[in-house]
Amino acid sequence: MPKLRLRAAAPAALLAVALLALSACGFTEYPNSTFNHTTDFNTSIDNIFQTLVFWGTIVFVVVEVALIVTIIKFRKRPGGPEAKQIHGNAALEITWTAIPAIILVLIAVPSARTIFETQKPAPAGALKVQVIGHQWWWEFRYPELGIVTANEVYVPVGRTVSFELTTKDVLHSFWIPQMGGKRDLITNKTNYLWFTPSDTLETMAWNGFCTEYCGASHANMRIRLYTVQPAEFEAWARHQARDAVFNPAAAPAVPVVPAAAGAPPAAADTAAGWMYPAEKLPAHVVPQTPIPAGLAYDDALLAGGDAARGAQQGFLMGGCIGCHAVRGVPGAVSNIGPDLTHIASRHTIAGGLYRNDGPTLARWIKNARHMKPGSIMYTIGRGEYDPILKTTQQAGLDDRQIADVVAYLMALK
Ligand code: CUA
């Protein structure tokens, strides 16, 4: 009977559609998908998921078919005989207890194996990265390489990376869906997470998120993870480990006299290291957050920004060093806010919320709290309204001074 065959085929068709939809999850269509086998971690997690779907589908099909057949075959018919009255069936009951037990074992064994596999210490030789959660940004430290950075983390393909997760304040959770392995950052406890990006991966950028509610800007606490080739990682790490390329102490006294043609640059070393090329950033990692209305800044001022003046009058004397470190600059050692040693080599600011460019940086310095709810970076622009203190900033920096600070920060390649 063709009608009945159609009905029996329905669950199989449903499964086929689901699998087809799943197999279509590519990097580009679903850039934050967790189903791609980009690391050993998400491969093993996906294997468990497939096992569960496999057994779940078999159970679903068998149970539903038995149910539908029973409903149709044994339904009450007018004038039919009374159903046979029975009391239990030992063989049947043992069978329907034993089969689920066997299925549970088939699910439990690989699950437990994967839990132990992913919870054990990272293999020797793994790249150590300390992840420190802050409200609302991420601090990344490479203790073996002498690197401190924020919100953007580089890992070489083919090498295991071992994250050590702690928090400065409240609970956060570290998750880069494409790499697998969401894990919490807990007060007074270090959690570990490690995985190996597949060595077949091309140089790529991925999104990461905070996945534990942590306050007003929980949604504005994002990560960019770059999986790069070993040589690119070497070049990036070598530069990141160095002191700031622009040293305010070594900069000429202000006002700056324009250097004569052919004269050596004021800063001893302005060489930029390797960073993930901006033109190759996939659209899914480029911040789309618009600048909130009501924050005016004349971008024409940026062209006149003076890095040396910004370093001395803005960064050192304007209070930035109260919260931010710039390695190699005496006194700039605070780690309340992100380390700015190589801020110009990052694509994003403000916990990954905005693009890192002059106009955005200027507005951020002017009124960070207007751009990111709850930001602990206070409002610096003179005459700006501070939405947390609910007062107008009477001191602070004017727009021209902000342009100088932006010039300085943009010099920190
Ligand atoms: Cu940090 Cu949510």
Side-chain angles (χ1 to χ4, degrees):
M1 228 160 68
K3 248 197 187 146
L4 211 82
R5 218 175 286 143
L6 203 70
R7 187 179 289 162
L14 209 70
L15 178 69
V17 168
L19 286 177
L20 210 69
L22 215 64
S23 67
C25 298
F27 288 166
T28 44
E29 299 99 310
Y30 301 99
N32 300 324
S33 163
T34 184
F35 292 112
N36 295 316
H37 291 190
T38 46
T39 65
D40 47 359
F41 197 115
N42 66 10
T43 303
S44 54
I45 297 292
D46 195 41
N47 287 340
I48 295 183
F49 177 71
Q50 304 277 3
T51 306
L52 281 168
V53 169
F54 175 78
W55 287 110
T57 307
I58 289 180
V59 169
F60 176 80
V61 170
V62 169
V63 170
E64 291 308 306
V65 167
L67 191 66
I68 290 164
V69 166
T70 309
I71 288 170
I72 293 167
K73 198 169 168 193
F74 300 106
R75 73 183 185 277
K76 187 179 161 99
R77 292 182 174 84
E82 194 190 341
K84 196 166 91 184
Q85 305 298 306
I86 56 163
H87 176 77
N89 183 325
L92 196 61
E93 283 167 23
I94 289 169
T95 309
W96 77 40
T97 306
I99 292 176
I102 291 166
I103 293 176
L104 283 181
V105 168
L106 291 172
I107 289 170
V109 168
S111 298
R113 198 196 296 132
T114 308
I115 289 170
F116 283 106
E117 186 80 12
T118 55
Q119 294 286 336
K120 72 182 184 191
L127 173 67
K128 199 186 281 185
V129 180
Q130 296 167 334
V131 181
I132 302 148
H134 296 256
Q135 283 175 310
W136 289 273
W137 59 281
W138 301 88
E139 182 178 350
F140 294 110
R141 291 172 171 263
Y142 297 67
E144 296 144 336
L145 304 176
I147 296 170
V148 182
T149 185
N151 305 319
E152 302 187 17
V153 58
Y154 283 66
V155 294
V157 299
R159 183 172 173 194
T160 304
V161 53
S162 174
F163 293 102
E164 300 180 359
L165 311 156
T166 55
T167 170
K168 256 267 152 57
D169 35 55
V170 299
L171 305 191
H172 304 276
S173 191
F174 178 82
W175 193 31
I176 295 149
Q178 281 278 3
M179 302 285 118
K182 182 193 294 174
R183 200 147 291 169
D184 285 1
L185 285 69
I186 298 173
T187 317
N188 291 334
K189 181 183 191 302
T190 303
N191 272 347
Y192 298 89
L193 169 71
W194 57 270
F195 53 70
T196 316
S198 165
D199 54 9
T200 59
L201 272 181
E202 287 177 26
T203 297
M204 223 334 159
W206 313 100
N207 285 315
F209 306 92
C210 180
T211 44
E212 176 80 46
Y213 181 69
C214 56
S217 269
H218 157 67
N220 304 327
M221 180 171 174
R222 306 175 194 171
I223 304 159
R224 301 297 187 285
L225 179 131
Y226 303 105
T227 48
V228 302
Q229 305 310 305
E232 293 168 339
F233 181 78
E234 281 298 310
W236 174 82
R238 210 181 309 121
H239 183 76
Q240 293 289 320
R242 299 163 74 175
D243 286 351
V245 292
F246 189 98
N247 185 352
V254 282
V256 176
V257 180
D269 179 10
T270 54
W274 188 85
M275 67 187 279
Y276 191 100
E279 66 278 8
K280 285 195 181 153
L281 283 173
H284 64 257
V285 300
V286 178
Q288 304 296 333
T289 320
I291 308 268
L295 184 46
Y297 188 84
D298 179 9
D299 290 335
L301 289 171
L302 293 169
D306 184 297
R309 205 163 50 202
Q312 290 164 351
Q313 295 182 355
F315 188 78
L316 294 178
M317 284 146 68
C320 307
I321 58 165
C323 295
H324 294 284
V326 174
R327 222 168 327 120
V329 177
V333 292
S334 179
N335 75 337
I336 294 171
D339 186 297
L340 302 178
T341 307
H342 298 287
I343 184 185
S345 71
R346 302 203 281 261
H347 292 295
T348 61
I349 57 164
L353 189 57
Y354 293 100
R355 295 161 202 243
N356 183 13
D357 55 32
T360 314
L361 205 48
R363 286 164 176 81
W364 175 255
I365 294 165
K366 190 167 178 176
N367 201 339
R369 290 175 168 176
H370 189 79
M371 290 176 71
K372 183 170 174 178
S375 170
I376 71 164
M377 172 150 158
Y378 64 90
T379 298
I380 289 169
R382 194 178 299 162
E384 280 290 305
Y385 180 73
D386 186 317
I388 292 179
L389 297 178
K390 303 200 188 303
T391 54
T392 301
Q393 169 67 275
Q394 302 295 341
L397 305 177
D398 64 26
D399 285 3
R400 191 196 54 86
Q401 290 172 312
I402 288 175
D404 291 341
V405 176
V406 170
Y408 172 54
L409 296 178
M410 291 281 101
L412 298 176
K413 299 281 184 204

